[in-house]
Amino acid sequence: MKSVVKVFVMMISFMMIYETTVYAQGLQENKTVTTIGLYHLELSDNKTTNVIFPYAVKSVDRGSADVIAQVAQGFGNVLQLKANVADFKQTNVTVITSDGKFYSFLSDYNSDPKLLNLSFTDSVKNMALPDDYNAKVLGNDAAEILQAKPFLHKHIVDEQMKLRLSGIYLKDNLMWFKLQISNRSQVDFDINNLSFSIIDKGQAKRTARQEILLQPVYTKQAEIIKGNATKEIVLVFEPFTLSNAKRLKIQISEKAGGRNLILLIKARKLLRARLLKI
């Protein structure tokens, strides 16, 4: 009798295990998994790779600081990529556009890339989406902003270079940033990249960062800062503010050189923007 009971219990246990396994397999089979395509890019430190999207770029995540990424001035759907150093280790770049679409790129170094322009648009006519601003008016306003009295002194000094945020102004529903760059060495500073981005507080020293690149409406800048010289640069954005958990990161790097300046701006500094009537 005991043997019969033992066999019966074993059969019940086997059936329970079998049903659980089948149910789990059913859940796995019913689960929907979507695979997102991975695109490959070769990046150089002396050539710019352009990626053109159907909609404006809203977020860019670089897997490594060895990659430079910026949205082309005046064209929100054109992302420009470049190697910050030669022979960097393979990394990735993630892009999210204003239509909510996600793009993933695997990036390797190549001094002479075979592909420099990649477009996700259907028509050549729609490859570049210009912002609705009058470049001539912005140029005239920028010239006058350069004459405005500076009132901010947030700065960083490194490698005999000084980067200073000297003013934030509001005019014609736009936010104008005036930067002063001083080269205190005899060696010219050839600007490779100047970018504005939003990062989390305390994130500046991380190698891989989640950054939201800001697209300037207009930029008036010099390309080379001569030795023992000072230049002023104006960048214009649609007005924005930050939470206390965020920082505005202003970064300027040298072409074919090691000088790289990063200036972090707190949220409350943006609120000191002055209304400029010209």
Side-chain angles (χ1 to χ4, degrees):
M1 182 67 178
K2 291 183 178 180
S3 298
V4 175
V5 173
K6 186 175 182 180
V7 172
F8 180 74
V9 171
M10 291 177 64
M11 290 177 63
I12 295 296
S13 299
F14 176 78
M15 290 177 64
M16 293 177 63
I17 294 172
Y18 176 77
E19 290 178 356
T20 302
T21 303
V22 171
Y23 178 73
Q25 290 177 347
L27 289 178
Q28 292 289 340
E29 292 174 357
N30 292 330
K31 185 177 180 180
T32 301
V33 178
T34 302
T35 301
I36 298 175
L38 184 66
Y39 303 94
H40 184 253
L41 291 175
E42 293 180 335
L43 304 180
S44 169
D45 56 343
N46 55 32
K47 294 180 180 179
T48 300
T49 297
N50 301 286
V51 184
I52 305 166
F53 301 93
Y55 292 87
V57 174
K58 289 300 181 183
S59 175
V60 178
D61 177 36
R62 299 170 295 149
S64 167
D66 292 338
V67 173
I68 297 172
Q70 68 176 17
V71 177
Q73 177 186 334
F75 298 93
N77 67 320
V78 180
L79 181 66
Q80 298 176 319
L81 298 167
K82 200 172 185 179
N84 199 23
V85 295
D87 298 318
F88 66 80
K89 292 182 179 180
Q90 186 180 79
T91 185
N92 69 312
V93 177
T94 302
V95 178
I96 299 176
T97 52
S98 60
D99 61 336
K101 194 167 183 180
F102 179 96
Y103 299 83
S104 183
F105 301 90
L106 195 64
S107 304
D108 287 286
Y109 178 80
N110 189 333
S111 60
D112 187 21
K114 295 180 179 60
L115 177 68
L116 287 176
N117 301 295
L118 175 64
S119 175
F120 291 95
T121 60
D122 297 328
S123 171
V124 176
K125 293 180 180 179
N126 296 324
M127 288 183 67
L129 303 176
D131 295 312
D132 188 20
Y133 292 100
N134 187 308
K136 183 177 181 180
V137 172
L138 291 174
N140 292 336
D141 287 348
E144 296 187 67
I145 291 288
L146 287 172
Q147 301 300 318
K149 184 178 180 180
F151 63 95
L152 295 177
H153 303 280
K154 179 67 177 179
H155 69 276
I156 183 173
V157 178
D158 191 26
E159 298 291 341
Q160 298 189 54
M161 296 293 300
K162 180 179 179 180
L163 173 61
R164 173 193 172 192
L165 174 62
S166 59
I168 306 175
Y169 309 90
L170 297 172
K171 184 179 185 296
D172 296 334
N173 296 317
L174 291 172
M175 183 176 278
W176 302 71
F177 289 80
K178 184 160 68 172
L179 302 176
Q180 186 182 82
I181 306 174
S182 299
N183 185 356
R184 299 174 176 176
S185 73
Q186 297 288 347
V187 181
D188 294 349
F189 186 94
D190 192 354
I191 298 177
N192 181 51
N193 180 61
L194 174 60
S195 64
F196 278 51
S197 59
I198 298 174
I199 64 173
D200 291 333
K201 179 181 178 181
Q203 203 175 27
K205 295 183 179 181
R206 292 175 54 185
T207 301
R209 310 176 180 89
Q210 175 69 39
E211 298 187 18
I212 299 176
L213 290 174
L214 298 180
Q215 175 199 351
V217 171
Y218 178 85
T219 303
K220 185 177 179 63
Q221 69 176 66
E223 294 184 356
I224 297 178
I225 313 299
K226 294 289 186 179
N228 293 316
T230 297
K231 293 287 186 179
E232 289 188 315
I233 294 175
V234 171
L235 294 95
V236 189
F237 299 87
E238 293 183 354
F240 65 94
T241 59
L242 301 175
S243 69
N244 290 330
K246 300 290 184 179
R247 294 288 184 270
L248 173 63
K249 186 183 79 171
I250 303 174
Q251 182 172 5
I252 184 169
S253 60
E254 180 182 21
K255 184 182 297 184
R259 290 178 287 186
N260 183 45
L261 301 174
I262 296 178
L263 184 62
L264 298 180
I265 307 298
K266 295 181 179 180
R268 63 173 180 266
K269 190 74 71 175
L270 300 179
L271 299 179
R272 293 185 59 187
R274 292 184 178 180
L275 184 63
L276 190 63
K277 298 180 180 180
I278 300 178

